[in-house]
Amino acid sequence: MCQHQTPCPTADSADRESARLVAHHPEQGWSLLCNGVLLFEDTGELLPDGRVIDPHRPLGTAQVMTAA
Ligand SMILES: [Zn+2]
């Protein structure tokens, strides 16, 4: 899926979050990385093979909660 000159980490990599953003939808709370990983605002992830990664970073106190 990634077509960058220096390939980004794959979705299987522990470093998967350092892949580049290809879509960013802060109003919906998610971003799509070029390796196919969906990254959610709460740091949860949805991998291209359907696996779900639970949120794994504490939210900063300065973060504005957008959920109603
Ligand atoms: Zn890439």
Side-chain angles (χ1 to χ4, degrees):
M1 186 175 290
C2 174
Q3 295 180 0
H4 291 119
Q5 284 279 333
T6 303
C8 297
T10 65
D12 289 330
S13 165
D15 203 23
R16 62 175 83 85
E17 288 169 47
S18 60
R20 288 180 228 194
L21 286 176
V22 292
H24 184 45
H25 294 273
E27 76 282 2
Q28 294 171 18
W30 61 270
S31 302
L32 177 64
L33 305 183
C34 69
N35 57 10
V37 173
L38 264 179
L39 188 61
F40 295 104
E41 197 172 54
D42 62 0
T43 74
E45 295 168 27
L46 177 62
L47 304 191
D49 62 6
R51 277 185 295 158
V52 173
I53 309 295
D54 288 332
H56 50 279
R57 273 195 299 255
L59 294 174
T61 53
Q63 179 156 352
V64 176
M65 300 300 291
T66 54

Short mmCIF file of all heavy atoms in Angstrom, two decimals:
data_model
loop_
_atom_site.label_atom_id
_atom_site.label_comp_id
_atom_site.label_asym_id
_atom_site.label_seq_id
_atom_site.Cartn_x
_atom_site.Cartn_y
_atom_site.Cartn_z
N MET A 1 0.83 -1.20 0.00
CA MET A 1 0.00 0.00 0.00
C MET A 1 0.87 1.26 0.00
O MET A 1 0.58 2.22 -0.70
CB MET A 1 -0.91 -0.02 1.23
CG MET A 1 -1.92 1.13 1.23
SD MET A 1 -3.08 1.03 2.59
CE MET A 1 -4.07 -0.39 2.11
N CYS A 2 1.96 1.24 0.75
CA CYS A 2 2.85 2.39 0.82
C CYS A 2 3.65 2.51 -0.47
O CYS A 2 4.23 1.55 -0.94
CB CYS A 2 3.80 2.23 2.00
SG CYS A 2 5.07 3.50 2.07
N GLN A 3 3.69 3.73 -1.03
CA GLN A 3 4.44 3.92 -2.27
C GLN A 3 5.52 4.98 -2.09
O GLN A 3 5.97 5.58 -3.06
CB GLN A 3 3.48 4.34 -3.39
CG GLN A 3 2.50 3.22 -3.71
CD GLN A 3 1.52 3.60 -4.81
OE1 GLN A 3 1.57 4.69 -5.33
NE2 GLN A 3 0.63 2.68 -5.14
N HIS A 4 5.94 5.20 -0.87
CA HIS A 4 6.99 6.18 -0.64
C HIS A 4 8.35 5.63 -1.03
O HIS A 4 8.57 4.42 -1.02
CB HIS A 4 6.98 6.61 0.84
CG HIS A 4 5.76 7.41 1.19
ND1 HIS A 4 4.84 7.01 2.13
CD2 HIS A 4 5.31 8.58 0.69
CE1 HIS A 4 3.87 7.92 2.20
NE2 HIS A 4 4.13 8.87 1.33
N GLN A 5 9.26 6.55 -1.37
CA GLN A 5 10.59 6.16 -1.81
C GLN A 5 11.31 5.35 -0.74
O GLN A 5 11.93 4.34 -1.03
CB GLN A 5 11.40 7.41 -2.13
CG GLN A 5 11.04 8.06 -3.45
CD GLN A 5 11.70 7.36 -4.63
OE1 GLN A 5 12.76 6.78 -4.46
NE2 GLN A 5 11.10 7.42 -5.79
N THR A 6 11.24 5.83 0.47
CA THR A 6 11.72 5.04 1.59
C THR A 6 10.50 4.43 2.25
O THR A 6 9.71 5.15 2.86
CB THR A 6 12.46 5.93 2.61
OG1 THR A 6 13.52 6.60 1.95
CG2 THR A 6 13.02 5.11 3.75
N PRO A 7 10.29 3.14 2.06
CA PRO A 7 9.03 2.54 2.53
C PRO A 7 8.81 2.77 4.01
O PRO A 7 9.73 2.69 4.83
CB PRO A 7 9.22 1.05 2.23
CG PRO A 7 10.25 1.01 1.15
CD PRO A 7 11.16 2.17 1.41
N CYS A 8 7.58 3.06 4.36
CA CYS A 8 7.23 3.26 5.75
C CYS A 8 7.11 1.90 6.45
O CYS A 8 6.99 0.87 5.79
CB CYS A 8 5.90 4.00 5.83
SG CYS A 8 5.97 5.65 5.10
N PRO A 9 7.14 1.90 7.77
CA PRO A 9 6.96 0.65 8.51
C PRO A 9 5.62 0.02 8.15
O PRO A 9 4.63 0.71 7.94
CB PRO A 9 6.97 1.10 9.98
CG PRO A 9 7.67 2.42 9.97
CD PRO A 9 7.35 3.05 8.66
N THR A 10 5.60 -1.28 8.03
CA THR A 10 4.36 -1.97 7.69
C THR A 10 3.43 -1.99 8.89
O THR A 10 3.82 -1.67 10.02
CB THR A 10 4.65 -3.42 7.27
OG1 THR A 10 5.16 -4.11 8.40
CG2 THR A 10 5.66 -3.46 6.14
N ALA A 11 2.20 -2.39 8.64
CA ALA A 11 1.22 -2.46 9.71
C ALA A 11 1.60 -3.50 10.76
O ALA A 11 1.12 -3.47 11.88
CB ALA A 11 -0.16 -2.79 9.12
N ASP A 12 2.47 -4.43 10.38
CA ASP A 12 2.91 -5.47 11.32
C ASP A 12 4.06 -4.99 12.19
O ASP A 12 4.43 -5.64 13.17
CB ASP A 12 3.37 -6.71 10.56
CG ASP A 12 2.20 -7.44 9.93
OD1 ASP A 12 1.10 -7.37 10.49
OD2 ASP A 12 2.41 -8.07 8.88
N SER A 13 4.66 -3.86 11.82
CA SER A 13 5.82 -3.38 12.53
C SER A 13 5.43 -2.71 13.85
O SER A 13 4.37 -2.10 13.96
CB SER A 13 6.57 -2.38 11.64
OG SER A 13 7.49 -1.64 12.40
N ALA A 14 6.30 -2.81 14.84
CA ALA A 14 6.05 -2.13 16.10
C ALA A 14 6.11 -0.62 15.92
O ALA A 14 5.60 0.14 16.74
CB ALA A 14 7.08 -2.57 17.14
N ASP A 15 6.71 -0.22 14.81
CA ASP A 15 6.91 1.20 14.52
C ASP A 15 5.84 1.72 13.55
O ASP A 15 6.02 2.72 12.89
CB ASP A 15 8.30 1.36 13.88
CG ASP A 15 8.84 2.77 14.04
OD1 ASP A 15 8.38 3.46 14.98
OD2 ASP A 15 9.68 3.17 13.24
N ARG A 16 4.73 1.01 13.48
CA ARG A 16 3.73 1.29 12.44
C ARG A 16 3.18 2.71 12.49
O ARG A 16 2.81 3.26 11.47
CB ARG A 16 2.55 0.32 12.56
CG ARG A 16 1.79 0.42 13.86
CD ARG A 16 0.58 -0.49 13.84
NE ARG A 16 0.91 -1.86 14.19
CZ ARG A 16 0.97 -2.31 15.45
NH1 ARG A 16 0.72 -1.51 16.45
NH2 ARG A 16 1.29 -3.55 15.70
N GLU A 17 3.20 3.32 13.68
CA GLU A 17 2.62 4.66 13.80
C GLU A 17 3.48 5.73 13.15
O GLU A 17 3.04 6.86 12.98
CB GLU A 17 2.42 5.02 15.26
CG GLU A 17 1.27 4.26 15.89
CD GLU A 17 1.28 4.45 17.39
OE1 GLU A 17 1.42 5.60 17.83
OE2 GLU A 17 1.17 3.44 18.11
N SER A 18 4.71 5.41 12.78
CA SER A 18 5.56 6.42 12.15
C SER A 18 5.38 6.45 10.64
O SER A 18 6.06 7.21 9.95
CB SER A 18 7.02 6.20 12.54
OG SER A 18 7.45 4.93 12.13
N ALA A 19 4.49 5.63 10.12
CA ALA A 19 4.15 5.77 8.70
C ALA A 19 3.48 7.12 8.46
O ALA A 19 2.97 7.74 9.39
CB ALA A 19 3.21 4.63 8.28
N ARG A 20 3.48 7.55 7.22
CA ARG A 20 2.95 8.88 6.93
C ARG A 20 1.42 8.90 6.88
O ARG A 20 0.80 7.91 6.48
CB ARG A 20 3.50 9.38 5.60
CG ARG A 20 4.98 9.74 5.75
CD ARG A 20 5.53 10.23 4.45
NE ARG A 20 6.81 9.54 4.20
CZ ARG A 20 7.67 9.93 3.28
NH1 ARG A 20 7.42 10.96 2.52
NH2 ARG A 20 8.79 9.27 3.11
N LEU A 21 0.87 10.03 7.23
CA LEU A 21 -0.57 10.22 7.16
C LEU A 21 -1.00 10.36 5.70
O LEU A 21 -0.41 11.12 4.94
CB LEU A 21 -0.98 11.50 7.90
CG LEU A 21 -0.94 11.48 9.43
CD1 LEU A 21 -1.26 12.86 9.94
CD2 LEU A 21 -1.92 10.47 9.97
N VAL A 22 -2.04 9.65 5.32
CA VAL A 22 -2.61 9.86 3.99
C VAL A 22 -3.99 10.49 4.09
O VAL A 22 -4.51 11.02 3.13
CB VAL A 22 -2.67 8.56 3.17
CG1 VAL A 22 -1.27 8.10 2.83
CG2 VAL A 22 -3.44 7.48 3.91
N ALA A 23 -4.59 10.41 5.27
CA ALA A 23 -5.87 11.08 5.49
C ALA A 23 -5.97 11.41 6.96
O ALA A 23 -5.55 10.64 7.81
CB ALA A 23 -7.04 10.17 5.08
N HIS A 24 -6.51 12.58 7.24
CA HIS A 24 -6.62 13.03 8.62
C HIS A 24 -8.00 13.64 8.81
O HIS A 24 -8.36 14.58 8.11
CB HIS A 24 -5.51 14.04 8.92
CG HIS A 24 -5.48 14.48 10.35
ND1 HIS A 24 -5.58 13.61 11.41
CD2 HIS A 24 -5.36 15.71 10.88
CE1 HIS A 24 -5.52 14.31 12.53
NE2 HIS A 24 -5.40 15.58 12.25
N HIS A 25 -8.77 13.07 9.70
CA HIS A 25 -10.13 13.55 9.93
C HIS A 25 -10.35 13.80 11.41
O HIS A 25 -11.01 13.02 12.10
CB HIS A 25 -11.15 12.51 9.41
CG HIS A 25 -11.11 12.35 7.93
ND1 HIS A 25 -11.83 13.15 7.07
CD2 HIS A 25 -10.41 11.50 7.15
CE1 HIS A 25 -11.57 12.78 5.82
NE2 HIS A 25 -10.72 11.79 5.84
N PRO A 26 -9.77 14.89 11.92
CA PRO A 26 -9.86 15.18 13.35
C PRO A 26 -11.30 15.34 13.81
O PRO A 26 -11.62 15.02 14.96
CB PRO A 26 -9.06 16.48 13.51
CG PRO A 26 -8.97 17.07 12.15
CD PRO A 26 -9.01 15.92 11.19
N GLU A 27 -12.17 15.81 12.92
CA GLU A 27 -13.57 15.98 13.32
C GLU A 27 -14.24 14.63 13.56
O GLU A 27 -15.24 14.55 14.26
CB GLU A 27 -14.32 16.82 12.29
CG GLU A 27 -14.69 16.09 11.00
CD GLU A 27 -13.52 15.96 10.02
OE1 GLU A 27 -12.40 16.39 10.37
OE2 GLU A 27 -13.72 15.40 8.93
N GLN A 28 -13.67 13.59 12.96
CA GLN A 28 -14.22 12.25 13.18
C GLN A 28 -13.33 11.43 14.10
O GLN A 28 -13.66 10.30 14.46
CB GLN A 28 -14.38 11.51 11.85
CG GLN A 28 -15.44 12.16 10.94
CD GLN A 28 -15.45 11.55 9.54
OE1 GLN A 28 -14.93 10.46 9.32
NE2 GLN A 28 -16.03 12.27 8.61
N GLY A 29 -12.17 11.99 14.45
CA GLY A 29 -11.32 11.33 15.44
C GLY A 29 -10.43 10.23 14.91
O GLY A 29 -10.01 9.36 15.67
N TRP A 30 -10.11 10.24 13.61
CA TRP A 30 -9.23 9.20 13.10
C TRP A 30 -8.33 9.71 12.00
O TRP A 30 -8.60 10.73 11.37
CB TRP A 30 -10.03 8.00 12.61
CG TRP A 30 -10.98 8.29 11.48
CD1 TRP A 30 -12.29 8.70 11.61
CD2 TRP A 30 -10.72 8.23 10.07
NE1 TRP A 30 -12.82 8.89 10.36
CE2 TRP A 30 -11.89 8.60 9.40
CE3 TRP A 30 -9.58 7.88 9.32
CZ2 TRP A 30 -11.97 8.66 8.01
CZ3 TRP A 30 -9.66 7.93 7.93
CH2 TRP A 30 -10.86 8.31 7.29
N SER A 31 -7.26 8.96 11.78
CA SER A 31 -6.32 9.24 10.70
C SER A 31 -5.98 7.93 10.02
O SER A 31 -5.97 6.87 10.65
CB SER A 31 -5.04 9.85 11.25
OG SER A 31 -5.31 11.04 11.96
N LEU A 32 -5.69 8.00 8.73
CA LEU A 32 -5.27 6.82 7.99
C LEU A 32 -3.80 6.97 7.63
O LEU A 32 -3.39 7.98 7.07
CB LEU A 32 -6.12 6.68 6.71
CG LEU A 32 -5.75 5.51 5.79
CD1 LEU A 32 -5.98 4.18 6.49
CD2 LEU A 32 -6.53 5.59 4.48
N LEU A 33 -3.03 5.94 7.96
CA LEU A 33 -1.61 5.95 7.61
C LEU A 33 -1.41 5.20 6.30
O LEU A 33 -2.26 4.41 5.89
CB LEU A 33 -0.79 5.28 8.73
CG LEU A 33 -0.99 5.87 10.12
CD1 LEU A 33 -0.06 5.16 11.11
CD2 LEU A 33 -0.74 7.36 10.13
N CYS A 34 -0.27 5.46 5.64
CA CYS A 34 -0.08 4.90 4.31
C CYS A 34 0.15 3.39 4.35
O CYS A 34 0.12 2.74 3.32
CB CYS A 34 1.07 5.61 3.59
SG CYS A 34 2.66 5.28 4.29
N ASN A 35 0.37 2.82 5.52
CA ASN A 35 0.49 1.37 5.61
C ASN A 35 -0.86 0.71 5.89
O ASN A 35 -0.93 -0.49 6.12
CB ASN A 35 1.52 0.98 6.68
CG ASN A 35 1.18 1.54 8.04
OD1 ASN A 35 0.09 2.06 8.25
ND2 ASN A 35 2.10 1.43 8.96
N GLY A 36 -1.93 1.51 5.86
CA GLY A 36 -3.27 0.95 5.99
C GLY A 36 -3.81 0.96 7.40
O GLY A 36 -4.93 0.52 7.64
N VAL A 37 -3.00 1.44 8.36
CA VAL A 37 -3.44 1.49 9.75
C VAL A 37 -4.37 2.68 9.96
O VAL A 37 -4.07 3.78 9.53
CB VAL A 37 -2.24 1.59 10.70
CG1 VAL A 37 -2.69 1.81 12.14
CG2 VAL A 37 -1.38 0.34 10.60
N LEU A 38 -5.49 2.43 10.60
CA LEU A 38 -6.37 3.51 11.04
C LEU A 38 -5.99 3.86 12.47
O LEU A 38 -6.02 3.01 13.35
CB LEU A 38 -7.83 3.05 11.02
CG LEU A 38 -8.66 3.39 9.78
CD1 LEU A 38 -10.07 2.83 9.95
CD2 LEU A 38 -8.72 4.87 9.53
N LEU A 39 -5.63 5.11 12.67
CA LEU A 39 -5.18 5.55 13.97
C LEU A 39 -6.24 6.46 14.57
O LEU A 39 -6.65 7.44 13.96
CB LEU A 39 -3.86 6.32 13.79
CG LEU A 39 -3.07 6.73 15.02
CD1 LEU A 39 -2.63 5.52 15.82
CD2 LEU A 39 -1.86 7.53 14.56
N PHE A 40 -6.73 6.08 15.75
CA PHE A 40 -7.79 6.86 16.37
C PHE A 40 -7.23 7.86 17.36
O PHE A 40 -6.12 7.70 17.88
CB PHE A 40 -8.80 5.92 17.05
CG PHE A 40 -9.52 5.05 16.08
CD1 PHE A 40 -9.17 3.71 15.95
CD2 PHE A 40 -10.52 5.55 15.28
CE1 PHE A 40 -9.82 2.90 15.03
CE2 PHE A 40 -11.18 4.75 14.36
CZ PHE A 40 -10.83 3.42 14.24
N GLU A 41 -8.03 8.86 17.63
CA GLU A 41 -7.65 9.97 18.49
C GLU A 41 -7.21 9.49 19.89
O GLU A 41 -6.36 10.10 20.52
CB GLU A 41 -8.88 10.86 18.62
CG GLU A 41 -8.65 12.23 19.11
CD GLU A 41 -9.95 13.02 18.96
OE1 GLU A 41 -10.99 12.57 19.48
OE2 GLU A 41 -9.90 14.06 18.33
N ASP A 42 -7.82 8.41 20.36
CA ASP A 42 -7.48 7.92 21.70
C ASP A 42 -6.27 6.99 21.68
O ASP A 42 -6.00 6.31 22.65
CB ASP A 42 -8.69 7.21 22.31
CG ASP A 42 -9.12 5.99 21.52
OD1 ASP A 42 -8.47 5.68 20.50
OD2 ASP A 42 -10.09 5.34 21.92
N THR A 43 -5.55 6.92 20.54
CA THR A 43 -4.38 6.09 20.28
C THR A 43 -4.72 4.63 20.03
O THR A 43 -3.84 3.80 19.89
CB THR A 43 -3.28 6.18 21.39
OG1 THR A 43 -3.71 5.48 22.54
CG2 THR A 43 -2.95 7.62 21.71
N GLY A 44 -6.00 4.30 19.98
CA GLY A 44 -6.37 2.97 19.52
C GLY A 44 -6.10 2.86 18.03
O GLY A 44 -5.97 3.87 17.34
N GLU A 45 -5.97 1.64 17.54
CA GLU A 45 -5.67 1.44 16.12
C GLU A 45 -6.49 0.29 15.56
O GLU A 45 -6.84 -0.64 16.28
CB GLU A 45 -4.18 1.09 15.95
CG GLU A 45 -3.26 2.21 16.36
CD GLU A 45 -1.82 1.74 16.47
OE1 GLU A 45 -1.44 0.78 15.79
OE2 GLU A 45 -1.08 2.33 17.26
N LEU A 46 -6.77 0.41 14.27
CA LEU A 46 -7.39 -0.68 13.54
C LEU A 46 -6.45 -1.06 12.41
O LEU A 46 -6.15 -0.24 11.55
CB LEU A 46 -8.76 -0.25 12.99
CG LEU A 46 -9.50 -1.29 12.15
CD1 LEU A 46 -9.82 -2.55 12.97
CD2 LEU A 46 -10.78 -0.70 11.59
N LEU A 47 -5.97 -2.30 12.44
CA LEU A 47 -5.01 -2.73 11.44
C LEU A 47 -5.74 -3.20 10.19
O LEU A 47 -6.91 -3.58 10.24
CB LEU A 47 -4.13 -3.86 12.02
CG LEU A 47 -3.40 -3.51 13.31
CD1 LEU A 47 -2.37 -4.60 13.62
CD2 LEU A 47 -2.74 -2.15 13.25
N PRO A 48 -5.03 -3.21 9.04
CA PRO A 48 -5.67 -3.60 7.78
C PRO A 48 -6.21 -5.02 7.79
O PRO A 48 -7.12 -5.34 7.03
CB PRO A 48 -4.55 -3.45 6.73
CG PRO A 48 -3.42 -2.80 7.40
CD PRO A 48 -3.66 -2.76 8.86
N ASP A 49 -5.66 -5.88 8.62
CA ASP A 49 -6.16 -7.26 8.66
C ASP A 49 -7.32 -7.41 9.64
O ASP A 49 -7.80 -8.51 9.87
CB ASP A 49 -5.03 -8.23 9.01
CG ASP A 49 -4.44 -7.97 10.39
OD1 ASP A 49 -4.97 -7.11 11.12
OD2 ASP A 49 -3.45 -8.62 10.74
N GLY A 50 -7.78 -6.27 10.21
CA GLY A 50 -8.96 -6.32 11.07
C GLY A 50 -8.65 -6.36 12.56
O GLY A 50 -9.55 -6.28 13.37
N ARG A 51 -7.37 -6.49 12.91
CA ARG A 51 -7.03 -6.51 14.33
C ARG A 51 -7.22 -5.13 14.94
O ARG A 51 -7.00 -4.11 14.29
CB ARG A 51 -5.58 -6.95 14.53
CG ARG A 51 -5.40 -8.45 14.54
CD ARG A 51 -3.98 -8.82 14.85
NE ARG A 51 -3.08 -8.36 13.78
CZ ARG A 51 -1.78 -8.16 13.95
NH1 ARG A 51 -1.22 -8.38 15.11
NH2 ARG A 51 -1.03 -7.75 12.94
N VAL A 52 -7.59 -5.12 16.20
CA VAL A 52 -7.80 -3.87 16.92
C VAL A 52 -6.73 -3.75 18.00
O VAL A 52 -6.47 -4.70 18.74
CB VAL A 52 -9.20 -3.84 17.57
CG1 VAL A 52 -9.35 -2.61 18.47
CG2 VAL A 52 -10.28 -3.83 16.49
N ILE A 53 -6.09 -2.59 18.05
CA ILE A 53 -5.09 -2.31 19.09
C ILE A 53 -5.73 -1.35 20.08
O ILE A 53 -6.22 -0.28 19.70
CB ILE A 53 -3.83 -1.66 18.49
CG1 ILE A 53 -3.29 -2.47 17.30
CG2 ILE A 53 -2.76 -1.47 19.56
CD1 ILE A 53 -2.79 -3.84 17.65
N ASP A 54 -5.74 -1.73 21.33
CA ASP A 54 -6.32 -0.86 22.35
C ASP A 54 -5.51 0.42 22.50
O ASP A 54 -4.31 0.43 22.24
CB ASP A 54 -6.35 -1.59 23.70
CG ASP A 54 -7.39 -2.69 23.71
OD1 ASP A 54 -8.40 -2.57 22.98
OD2 ASP A 54 -7.19 -3.67 24.44
N PRO A 55 -6.16 1.47 22.95
CA PRO A 55 -5.42 2.71 23.23
C PRO A 55 -4.26 2.43 24.18
O PRO A 55 -4.42 1.67 25.13
CB PRO A 55 -6.47 3.61 23.88
CG PRO A 55 -7.77 3.11 23.34
CD PRO A 55 -7.58 1.61 23.19
N HIS A 56 -3.10 3.01 23.89
CA HIS A 56 -1.91 2.64 24.67
C HIS A 56 -1.11 3.85 25.13
O HIS A 56 -0.01 3.71 25.60
CB HIS A 56 -1.03 1.70 23.84
CG HIS A 56 -0.76 2.21 22.45
ND1 HIS A 56 -1.67 2.06 21.43
CD2 HIS A 56 0.29 2.87 21.93
CE1 HIS A 56 -1.19 2.61 20.34
NE2 HIS A 56 0.00 3.12 20.61
N ARG A 57 -1.64 5.03 24.94
CA ARG A 57 -0.95 6.20 25.48
C ARG A 57 -1.93 6.99 26.32
O ARG A 57 -3.07 7.19 25.91
CB ARG A 57 -0.44 7.09 24.34
CG ARG A 57 0.92 6.69 23.82
CD ARG A 57 1.51 7.80 23.00
NE ARG A 57 0.65 8.06 21.85
CZ ARG A 57 0.93 7.69 20.62
NH1 ARG A 57 2.03 7.05 20.36
NH2 ARG A 57 0.11 7.95 19.63
N PRO A 58 -1.50 7.44 27.48
CA PRO A 58 -2.39 8.28 28.27
C PRO A 58 -2.67 9.57 27.54
O PRO A 58 -1.79 10.13 26.90
CB PRO A 58 -1.62 8.52 29.57
CG PRO A 58 -0.20 8.26 29.22
CD PRO A 58 -0.20 7.25 28.10
N LEU A 59 -3.89 10.01 27.61
CA LEU A 59 -4.25 11.27 26.95
C LEU A 59 -3.66 12.44 27.71
O LEU A 59 -3.70 12.47 28.94
CB LEU A 59 -5.77 11.41 26.87
CG LEU A 59 -6.47 10.38 25.97
CD1 LEU A 59 -7.98 10.54 26.12
CD2 LEU A 59 -6.06 10.52 24.53
N GLY A 60 -3.15 13.40 26.98
CA GLY A 60 -2.61 14.60 27.62
C GLY A 60 -3.72 15.41 28.25
O GLY A 60 -4.84 15.41 27.76
N THR A 61 -3.41 16.07 29.33
CA THR A 61 -4.44 16.87 30.01
C THR A 61 -4.89 18.04 29.17
O THR A 61 -5.97 18.56 29.36
CB THR A 61 -3.91 17.38 31.36
OG1 THR A 61 -2.68 18.05 31.13
CG2 THR A 61 -3.70 16.25 32.34
N ALA A 62 -4.05 18.45 28.21
CA ALA A 62 -4.38 19.62 27.41
C ALA A 62 -5.28 19.24 26.22
O ALA A 62 -5.80 20.10 25.54
CB ALA A 62 -3.12 20.28 26.87
N GLN A 63 -5.43 17.94 26.01
CA GLN A 63 -6.21 17.53 24.85
C GLN A 63 -7.68 17.88 25.01
O GLN A 63 -8.31 17.65 26.04
CB GLN A 63 -6.07 16.02 24.66
CG GLN A 63 -6.89 15.54 23.46
CD GLN A 63 -6.33 14.25 22.89
OE1 GLN A 63 -5.27 13.79 23.28
NE2 GLN A 63 -7.08 13.66 21.99
N VAL A 64 -8.23 18.44 23.97
CA VAL A 64 -9.64 18.83 23.98
C VAL A 64 -10.48 17.61 23.57
O VAL A 64 -10.24 17.01 22.54
CB VAL A 64 -9.89 19.99 23.00
CG1 VAL A 64 -11.36 20.32 22.95
CG2 VAL A 64 -9.07 21.20 23.42
N MET A 65 -11.41 17.30 24.41
CA MET A 65 -12.28 16.18 24.08
C MET A 65 -13.34 16.66 23.11
O MET A 65 -14.07 17.60 23.38
CB MET A 65 -12.94 15.62 25.35
CG MET A 65 -11.95 15.11 26.37
SD MET A 65 -10.90 13.77 25.71
CE MET A 65 -12.15 12.47 25.58
N THR A 66 -13.44 15.96 21.97
CA THR A 66 -14.40 16.38 20.97
C THR A 66 -15.67 15.54 21.00
O THR A 66 -16.66 15.89 20.40
CB THR A 66 -13.77 16.28 19.57
OG1 THR A 66 -13.28 14.97 19.40
CG2 THR A 66 -12.66 17.28 19.43
N ALA A 67 -15.63 14.42 21.73
CA ALA A 67 -16.80 13.56 21.78
C ALA A 67 -17.91 14.25 22.58
O ALA A 67 -17.65 14.89 23.59
CB ALA A 67 -16.46 12.23 22.42
N ALA A 68 -19.10 14.07 22.12
CA ALA A 68 -20.23 14.71 22.82
C ALA A 68 -20.57 13.90 24.07
O ALA A 68 -20.36 12.71 24.11
CB ALA A 68 -21.44 14.78 21.91
ZN ZN B 1 4.57 5.42 3.17
#
